[in-house]
Amino acid sequence: MSTTEKKMNVESFNLDHTKVKAPFVRLAGVKEGINGDVIRKYDIRFCQPNREHLEMPAIHSLEHMMAEFSRNHSDRIVDISPMGCQTGYYMALINHDDYDDVLDILEKTLNDVLTADEVPACNEVQCGWAASHSLEGAKEAAKKMLEKRAEWTTVF
């Protein structure tokens, strides 16, 4: 059995990255806690896997900005974290199952990025690598993603 045929523990490792068409936003996982809380994890793919990627300073700044700004639009955000492959982010929400609202939250958040004058917490006290940021790179990534807003629901 080849690696691509073996069922993996990590959901995204079971996704055929050669068949997806970025940008997209897809539900990548659902976990229910012992008290009934439900966490939904979304794959927010900015770049076509294995064809393009975001540069680290832009990823870092966009992470700070989305983490901060998204919480202005929803109190259900658990986390927004970059993918190691540099093609997108995961966003986790608690007790929120409205996909269209998730898209609206993301759209509002990315529009906030476009109007930002600075990267939040971009200093040595609040960030572990404050020298590695790009406000312009984050804005460019947000702009490109927003230009394809109509395509976010189509994964393949």
Side-chain angles (χ1 to χ4, degrees):
M1 177 178 276
S2 73
T3 306
T4 57
E5 294 172 356
K6 181 182 175 193
K7 176 104 167 96
M8 304 290 289
N9 292 321
V10 177
E11 185 276 342
S12 67
F13 294 168
N14 296 308
L15 176 70
D16 187 338
H17 287 68
T18 66
K19 295 195 178 353
V20 298
K21 186 180 180 317
F24 60 80
V25 179
R26 72 178 185 93
L27 181 63
V30 179
K31 298 284 183 190
E32 186 170 344
I34 60 172
N35 296 316
D37 287 316
V38 177
I39 302 283
R40 284 178 175 75
K41 179 176 78 170
Y42 291 88
D43 173 340
I44 303 171
R45 198 66 64 131
F46 280 67
C47 300
Q48 184 62 35
N50 299 300
R51 299 284 181 264
E52 57 184 350
H53 68 278
L54 299 169
E55 295 299 323
M56 284 308 298
I59 288 173
H60 191 188
S61 294
L62 195 53
E63 175 198 8
H64 276 231
M65 297 168 93
M66 289 196 308
E68 180 64 21
F69 301 155
S70 64
R71 287 165 168 87
N72 294 329
H73 305 295
S74 176
D75 62 355
R76 303 295 183 166
I77 306 292
V78 174
D79 186 45
I80 297 178
S81 52
M83 296 176 178
C85 62
Q86 299 174 238
T87 63
Y89 296 82
Y90 286 112
M91 180 167 67
L93 295 95
I94 190 166
N95 299 329
H96 189 291
D97 64 355
D98 185 338
Y99 175 73
D100 290 328
D101 189 50
V102 169
L103 299 179
D104 290 341
I105 292 165
L106 179 59
E107 181 177 8
K108 289 174 186 173
T109 299
L110 293 175
N111 276 310
D112 291 344
V113 170
L114 295 182
T115 61
D117 296 325
E118 63 183 11
V119 176
C122 180
N123 60 70
E124 290 186 6
V125 172
Q126 296 175 291
C127 177
W129 193 16
S132 178
H133 280 281
S134 172
L135 175 62
E136 290 309 312
K139 286 185 174 201
E140 182 62 26
K143 179 178 177 282
K144 285 181 180 179
M145 186 71 168
L146 285 165
E147 286 172 352
K148 304 282 189 162
R149 170 62 173 91
E151 300 174 23
W152 290 0
T153 60
T154 305
V155 179
F156 299 98

